[in-house]
Amino acid sequence: MAMLLLWAVYLAVLLVLAVPVFVVARRRRRPNTIRNVAISAVVVGGLMGLTRFTSNRLVEQCIDVGNTQCYDAGSTGILWLFAIGFTVVVWARAWNLRGR
């Protein structure tokens, strides 16, 4: 259940970041672009949710065995990379569509 909640949260964030391409693609009558961006948001959101869920599980398991300094810094960085990469690609597509 936690995995689905994390996926939904990251999906919502990615869809908000994709609003510019949705607006431009709708004005240019490009439904395929809208569909493709929505599908990519679902996939990237799922990857982000899976990354966060597994990170949380690893930290919980680390704490359960008695370690006191459990932190997974790598997952935070990869989440930022996913979000920034998605945003750059989507906004570049919106810019490209705007110019046509």
Side-chain angles (χ1 to χ4, degrees):
M1 187 67 179
M3 168 64 187
L4 292 176
L5 180 62
L6 288 168
W7 171 74
V9 168
Y10 287 121
L11 175 62
V13 169
L14 293 176
L15 289 176
V16 167
L17 290 171
V19 166
V21 79
F22 290 146
V23 170
V24 174
R26 184 160 187 243
R27 285 184 189 162
R28 299 285 183 182
R29 294 185 181 99
R30 303 289 294 253
N32 289 337
T33 301
I34 294 172
R35 186 190 71 232
N36 291 340
V37 169
I39 290 170
S40 66
V42 168
V43 171
V44 173
L47 290 172
M48 290 175 76
L50 181 65
T51 302
R52 175 60 70 180
F53 178 74
T54 55
S55 172
N56 290 345
R57 290 285 297 150
L58 288 172
V59 170
E60 287 173 9
Q61 290 174 353
C62 179
I63 292 171
D64 288 343
V65 296
N67 293 332
T68 58
Q69 296 182 2
C70 300
Y71 179 70
D72 187 10
S75 68
T76 304
I78 197 70
L79 290 175
W80 276 104
L81 285 175
F82 278 141
I84 291 170
F86 179 82
T87 304
V88 166
V89 169
V90 168
W91 288 3
R93 182 63 180 142
W95 182 264
N96 187 17
L97 281 174
R98 190 187 67 81
R100 291 185 180 176

